[in-house]
Amino acid sequence: MTTIRREVLTLPAAPLGPDNPLPPLRPLDEAHRIDARDRAALPREMARQVGYAPLRSLLPAPVRDGYGRVREPREFDALVLENDRLRATVLPALGGRVTSLFHKPTDRELLYVNPVLQPANFALNGAWFSGGIEWNIGATGHTTLSCSPVHAARVPAPDGGEMLRLWEWERLRDLPFQVDLWLPEGSDFLRVGVRIRNPHERPVPTYWWSNIAVPEDRRVLAPADEAWLFGYERRLRRVPVPSYDGADRTYPRNSAYAADWFYEVPDGRRRWIAALDADGHGLVQTSTDVLRGRKLFVWGTGPGGRRWQEWLTEPGTGGYCEIQAGLARTQLEHVKLEAESEVSWLEAYGPLDADPEGEWHGVLRGAEDRLEAALPRAEVDAAYGEWLRHADAEPGERLAAGSGWGALEVVRTGWKLPGTPFDEATLGDEQRPWLHLLHAGSLPEPDHHAPPGGTLVARPWRDMLETAAATPAAEYHLGVAQWHEGDRAQAVRSWERGLDRATARWPLLRCLAVADREDGHDERAADRYAEAFDDLCARARGGADGSSGTAGAPGTGEAGDLPEAAAVADGATWTAATAALGGEAIGALLAVGRTADARSVWERLPPAVRARGRFRLAEAALLAAEGRRERARAVFDEGFEVADLREGDEVIGRLWAALGDEPLPARYDFRMRPGGD
């Protein structure tokens, strides 16, 4: 019989570190945008969905940039589903990632299994890691839940056995979702039932892509003669499959640069995608028709793509590509989920043996025949119907706990969400101020003058903030919610009102500085950033002026009369705030040529922060702005690693080019497009 058990998985891992405490007010740096010239050629439905409610902001999700690149053995709680044919390993603390899918009869791993856990800046909000099967919900890109815990529990399966249910509240779109995994006895296929619900009284944009990492020495098969090609030059065009521009692109190693290939699967055709090695062995994913899209992502054989592959794992590890399945044709689109409705489907993952070589249509016919013999399409449709009857089953034994954000929304609304309970017991410190606002009508000030916590920006919470007592904390959070909704003038007024009475001024000054930069008032933004950083240093014990603050010194963990555990957490939070604000302040000051002020900020950063790769890069930029080009070049020669370098960001190459004419060293080459800086 199928079993679900707990295990501990030990991996060399870089710690995630604290979240960035500054609200992400700047527009989303989203790589998945297309050139306006390409929109006119899109099919009507695709064009409509490309233009439908694109994500403009990460709020209320925090930026996760506190990780580094020093890996040490670390234990992770794992949940293992197993029958007599397959073994699936799931990490509930990391978005419910299926990190391994092992086929026992053939002694083969079906996925690319990353031997390390190295966060990198690929998720919408930062931290993400490669490998396995991930569940991407929210908006175009890797989910904000990539490195966050989800709820998990045992649930009765359709075949009478056990099913593993994962569920959580997706905060960008305020939608609950669930992922049910089970292994019928004797089956070679992992079944996965997915449901996204919209409990709101209005339509909500939704998005889903199941992302499967597989070794890249494969041929990728999907039932299509055309694909939509999207690269980091942000052009989208229809191209033939399998061959394009003189090469068969169904072999990942035949592409020089990173690219997405979104397959145009004809209506009525079975939805599936497979990756087979030279001997014809590999993985196939298939689904009911609601999950219509199929995609291949390749890193490319160019130096930038290879460097990213090394960056995400360790030297000597084989490369990987990604095969994916989504709700729309492409990842550039969002789908409308009507009010008080839901969307659901069934996926299946398992081994496939078929000949990958030969004429394209013959290869596809052979693979489809083998898939139909192993798992008939009618059986998938029937399994979906059986699963739906269990989708509302109440979870039994709880195996892992996610966040308390879903519980907060259920407390606020009274929503009934059968099958995915968001219990009040999961409410924690992050939700406590908002519970106080909900029940008492006021928002408490942060304890010990700590950096403000995260902001809720949905309209009901904004309405409550507008009627709450106008404390500095309430004005701060109200301004963030107004900014998120596009009401910038009101946001600025709220922050200015809060500033009049605030003891800790730096959070409000930073918000006003961002507003100034967005409006083109760069000099005033620089003034406010400098004042904000001065104030932050005054708040933290051990600031440059030696003043006695009420909170722990950045990087020291000292926090007056706080208990030891709280003191350590408080110190980490202040270090994160100092690093985040200091980095923004240096950039704003350099933008207006105020190198002396930027240097002053730099010198007051804790030594451990200055040693980080992101700040070594900032140091090189500061030295270059001061005219000390040779010293800036020496920073490169000494070596640094920007742990949170953003996917597609070419800042390192641009600075290097400004310092001389030599080619960019390979260790700094992360360029993902032709002609990148």
Side-chain angles (χ1 to χ4, degrees):
M1 293 293 291
T2 299
T3 61
I4 300 174
R5 67 178 185 275
R6 301 175 189 266
E7 283 192 359
V8 175
L9 181 65
T10 302
L11 290 173
L16 286 171
D19 290 345
N20 188 320
L22 306 184
L25 301 177
R26 301 295 295 275
L28 186 67
D29 180 20
E30 175 52 63
H32 296 90
R33 298 196 306 268
I34 63 172
D35 192 294
R37 293 171 291 177
D38 296 330
R39 294 203 177 199
L42 299 181
R44 182 176 301 175
E45 180 190 38
M46 185 190 296
R48 183 176 66 251
Q49 292 183 164
V50 165
Y52 174 52
L55 192 66
R56 303 298 186 192
S57 167
L58 281 177
L59 290 166
V63 172
R64 311 203 71 181
D65 59 2
Y67 51 87
R69 291 192 54 80
V70 177
R71 297 190 287 265
E72 296 179 349
R74 182 181 168 198
E75 293 183 346
F76 296 90
D77 291 331
L79 301 174
V80 179
L81 293 82
E82 189 166 11
N83 66 3
D84 55 332
R85 312 285 293 179
L86 281 175
R87 182 170 63 247
T89 304
V90 179
L91 300 180
L94 295 168
R97 182 81 58 100
V98 179
T99 192
S100 170
L101 186 60
F102 187 79
H103 189 236
K104 295 194 284 187
T106 58
D107 196 34
R108 284 193 285 116
E109 174 60 54
L110 300 181
L111 305 174
Y112 167 78
V113 177
N114 195 335
V116 305
L117 194 149
Q118 177 56 62
N121 194 356
F122 278 76
L124 284 164
N125 63 335
W128 171 87
F129 66 102
S130 63
I133 306 172
E134 61 176 310
W135 318 111
N136 289 303
I137 182 174
T140 53
H142 293 284
T143 176
T144 61
L145 297 168
S146 293
C147 292
S148 296
V150 297
H151 302 282
R154 299 178 192 268
V155 181
D159 62 351
E162 286 189 320
M163 183 162 63
L164 174 62
R165 174 162 298 163
L166 310 172
W167 74 99
E168 192 39 278
W169 193 275
E170 200 288 309
R171 300 183 67 201
L172 295 180
R173 305 299 195 182
D174 266 337
L175 297 176
F177 71 98
Q178 71 188 77
V179 179
D180 291 350
L181 305 97
W182 77 101
L183 290 166
E185 186 175 2
S187 175
D188 284 317
F189 285 84
L190 173 69
R191 268 69 161 181
V192 181
V194 183
R195 176 168 64 169
I196 306 171
R197 287 192 273 205
N198 175 15
H200 302 280
E201 296 178 347
R202 67 183 192 284
V204 175
T206 193
Y207 170 95
W208 184 277
W209 281 82
S210 300
N211 185 2
I212 310 127
V214 293
E216 69 176 357
D217 58 344
R218 300 288 189 267
R219 190 182 195 189
V220 173
L221 310 180
D225 293 325
E226 293 181 310
W228 294 92
L229 172 61
F230 179 77
Y232 283 81
E233 66 276 19
R234 294 176 174 170
R235 298 300 305 274
L236 181 68
R237 53 194 179 274
R238 194 194 298 251
V239 299
V241 173
S243 295
Y244 171 69
D245 199 21
D248 188 329
R249 306 297 178 161
T250 62
Y251 294 89
R253 290 178 174 172
N254 282 351
S255 293
Y257 293 95
D260 299 325
W261 304 80
F262 298 104
Y263 295 112
E264 186 68 61
V265 180
D267 291 341
R269 193 82 178 261
R270 184 174 186 176
R271 264 57 182 166
W272 63 275
I273 190 168
L276 305 179
D277 65 19
D279 296 324
H281 306 310
L283 170 88
V284 64
Q285 186 270 1
T286 187
S287 71
T288 48
D289 289 351
V290 166
L291 203 67
R292 66 174 298 179
R294 293 298 184 275
K295 170 194 163 182
L296 164 65
F297 168 76
V298 298
W299 285 104
T301 56
R306 305 329 294 171
R307 184 71 181 102
W308 274 117
Q309 294 257 35
E310 297 169 356
W311 188 255
L312 294 168
T313 181
E314 60 184 9
T317 304
Y320 77 97
C321 62
E322 295 169 357
I323 57 175
Q324 303 185 23
L327 282 175
R329 279 187 177 98
T330 74
Q331 287 175 326
L332 309 170
E333 304 167 66
H334 295 97
V335 175
K336 181 182 288 188
L337 189 56
E338 297 295 344
E340 299 178 334
S341 70
E342 63 183 49
V343 61
S344 61
W345 61 90
L346 185 87
E347 305 180 45
Y349 297 80
L352 182 68
D353 293 319
D355 186 357
E357 304 295 334
E359 188 271 330
W360 179 243
H361 294 101
V363 168
L364 292 181
R365 283 194 298 272
E368 282 187 314
D369 288 346
R370 297 300 295 269
L371 173 59
E372 184 66 18
L375 184 66
R377 184 178 185 180
E379 185 176 324
V380 173
D381 292 339
Y384 169 65
E386 294 169 2
W387 167 72
L388 271 184
R389 291 192 288 273
H390 291 74
D392 285 349
E394 287 304 306
E397 180 192 359
R398 303 301 172 90
L399 301 172
S403 78
W405 296 113
L408 182 66
E409 291 302 315
V410 168
V411 169
R412 180 182 68 81
T413 62
W415 282 326
K416 305 299 182 185
L417 300 169
T420 55
F422 293 96
D423 301 328
E424 289 192 39
T426 62
L427 292 165
D429 290 343
E430 290 182 297
Q431 293 80 43
R432 191 161 292 116
W434 301 97
L435 273 176
H436 193 275
L437 175 65
L438 182 64
H439 294 313
S442 63
L443 198 65
E445 294 292 318
D447 292 337
H448 310 286
H449 298 282
T455 297
L456 292 176
V457 296
R459 190 60 196 238
W461 293 105
R462 173 181 166 173
D463 291 344
M464 280 184 265
L465 287 168
E466 287 179 336
T467 59
T471 63
E475 296 287 13
Y476 166 83
H477 287 291
L478 174 58
V480 174
Q482 291 166 331
W483 182 269
H484 173 265
E485 199 164 322
D487 197 346
R488 293 190 173 188
Q490 284 286 7
V492 168
R493 283 192 283 272
S494 294
W495 292 326
E496 289 174 340
R497 285 195 304 268
L499 195 61
D500 288 340
R501 291 191 290 162
T503 302
R505 295 166 55 83
W506 67 266
L508 292 150
L509 285 167
R510 182 264 177 178
C511 290
L512 290 167
V514 173
D516 284 335
R517 288 205 79 177
E518 289 297 299
D519 290 339
H521 303 305
D522 291 343
E523 283 287 355
R524 190 167 66 194
D527 288 339
R528 280 175 161 160
Y529 266 121
E531 185 182 353
F533 193 76
D534 289 345
D535 186 68
L536 184 148
C537 289
R539 298 294 139 205
R541 189 191 306 272
D545 60 1
S547 63
S548 177
T550 55
T556 68
E558 298 175 5
D561 296 329
L562 288 176
E564 182 178 355
V568 172
D570 189 71
T573 301
W574 276 99
T575 299
T578 304
L581 183 58
E584 289 186 13
I586 291 170
L589 290 162
L590 287 180
V592 295
R594 291 167 55 174
T595 56
D597 290 333
R599 173 64 62 183
S600 173
V601 172
W602 165 263
E603 290 175 347
R604 284 179 287 167
L605 293 171
V609 171
R610 292 202 301 264
R612 296 178 190 172
R614 170 64 64 183
F615 289 90
R616 294 284 284 156
L617 178 63
E619 180 186 18
L622 176 57
L623 288 164
E626 292 171 332
R628 302 160 67 186
R629 293 163 58 90
E630 290 185 4
R631 185 66 193 93
R633 171 64 183 269
V635 173
F636 278 88
D637 295 340
E638 292 162 8
F640 58 84
E641 293 184 319
V642 182
D644 61 331
L645 185 68
R646 183 68 177 166
E647 172 188 12
D649 193 343
E650 298 173 355
V651 61
I652 296 177
R654 288 195 297 271
L655 180 55
W656 174 267
L659 297 176
D661 298 327
E662 294 184 25
L664 183 65
R667 62 181 171 178
Y668 298 124
D669 191 350
F670 294 90
R671 294 172 291 188
M672 299 178 73
R673 64 185 176 96
D677 293 332

